[in-house]
Coordinates of all heavy atoms in Angstrom, one line a residue:
Chain B
P22 N 21.1 17.2 -48.5 CA 19.7 17.5 -48.7 C 19.1 18.2 -47.5 O 19.3 17.8 -46.4 CB 19.0 16.2 -49.1 CG 20.0 15.1 -48.6 CD 21.4 15.7 -48.6
P73 N -10.0 6.9 -28.5 CA -10.1 6.1 -29.7 C -8.8 6.0 -30.4 O -8.0 6.9 -30.4 CB -11.1 6.9 -30.6 CG -11.7 7.9 -29.6 CD -10.7 8.1 -28.5
S82 N -20.1 -4.8 -22.0 CA -21.4 -5.3 -21.6 C -21.6 -5.1 -20.1 O -20.7 -5.0 -19.4 CB -21.5 -6.7 -22.0 OG -20.6 -7.5 -21.3
T102 N -2.9 -3.0 -47.3 CA -4.1 -3.9 -46.9 C -4.9 -3.2 -45.8 O -4.4 -2.7 -44.9 CB -3.6 -5.2 -46.4 OG1 -2.5 -5.6 -47.2 CG2 -4.7 -6.2 -46.4
P121 N 4.7 -12.7 -22.8 CA 5.0 -13.2 -21.4 C 4.0 -12.7 -20.3 O 3.9 -13.4 -19.3 CB 6.4 -12.5 -21.1 CG 6.6 -11.5 -22.2 CD 5.8 -11.9 -23.3
P128 N -8.4 -14.1 -19.6 CA -9.8 -14.4 -19.6 C -10.5 -14.3 -21.0 O -11.6 -14.6 -21.1 CB -10.4 -13.3 -18.7 CG -9.2 -12.6 -18.0 CD -8.1 -12.8 -18.9
G185 N 2.9 -2.7 -39.9 CA 1.8 -2.4 -39.0 C 0.9 -1.3 -39.6 O 0.9 -1.1 -40.9
L231 N 25.5 10.6 -23.3 CA 25.4 11.9 -22.8 C 26.1 13.0 -23.7 O 25.5 14.1 -24.0 CB 26.0 12.0 -21.4 CG 25.3 11.2 -20.3 CD1 25.9 11.4 -19.0 CD2 23.8 11.6 -20.2
P243 N 14.9 9.2 -23.3 CA 14.0 8.8 -22.3 C 14.5 7.7 -21.4 O 15.6 7.2 -21.7 CB 12.8 8.3 -23.2 CG 13.4 7.8 -24.4 CD 14.7 8.5 -24.6
S248 N 21.1 9.6 -11.2 CA 21.1 11.0 -10.7 C 22.2 11.7 -11.5 O 22.1 12.9 -11.8 CB 21.3 11.1 -9.2 OG 22.5 10.5 -8.8
T263 N 11.9 16.2 -17.9 CA 10.6 16.0 -17.3 C 10.6 14.6 -16.6 O 11.3 13.7 -17.1 CB 9.5 16.1 -18.3 OG1 8.2 15.8 -17.7 CG2 9.7 15.1 -19.5
I303 N 18.7 6.3 1.3 CA 18.9 5.8 -0.1 C 18.4 6.8 -1.1 O 19.2 7.2 -2.0 CB 18.2 4.4 -0.3 CG1 18.9 3.3 0.5 CG2 18.2 4.0 -1.8 CD1 18.2 2.0 0.6
S369 N 25.5 0.0 -5.4 CA 25.7 1.0 -4.3 C 24.8 0.6 -3.2 O 25.1 0.7 -2.0 CB 25.5 2.4 -4.8 OG 26.4 2.7 -5.8
V385 N 26.9 -9.8 5.5 CA 26.4 -9.9 4.1 C 27.5 -10.0 3.1 O 28.5 -9.3 3.2 CB 25.5 -8.7 3.8 CG1 25.1 -8.8 2.3 CG2 24.2 -8.7 4.7
V412 N 11.6 -4.1 -11.2 CA 10.4 -4.8 -11.9 C 9.3 -3.7 -12.1 O 9.1 -2.8 -11.2 CB 9.8 -5.9 -10.9 CG1 8.6 -6.5 -11.6 CG2 10.9 -7.0 -10.7
P418 N -2.3 -3.6 -11.7 CA -1.7 -4.7 -10.8 C -1.9 -6.1 -11.4 O -1.1 -6.9 -11.3 CB -2.5 -4.5 -9.5 CG -3.0 -3.1 -9.5 CD -3.2 -2.7 -10.9
N445 N 0.6 -17.4 0.5 CA -0.3 -16.9 1.5 C -1.8 -17.1 0.8 O -2.0 -16.4 -0.2 CB -0.1 -15.4 1.8 CG -1.0 -15.0 2.9 OD1 -2.2 -15.1 2.9 ND2 -0.4 -14.3 4.0
N461 N -14.3 -0.4 -9.3 CA -13.0 0.1 -8.9 C -12.9 0.2 -7.4 O -11.8 0.0 -6.8 CB -12.8 1.5 -9.5 CG -11.6 1.5 -10.4 OD1 -11.0 0.4 -10.7 ND2 -11.2 2.7 -10.9

Side-chain angles (χ1 to χ4, degrees):
Chain B
S82 67
T102 317
L231 293 182
S248 63
T263 178
I303 291 172
S369 300
V385 174
V412 181
N445 184 312
N461 243 7

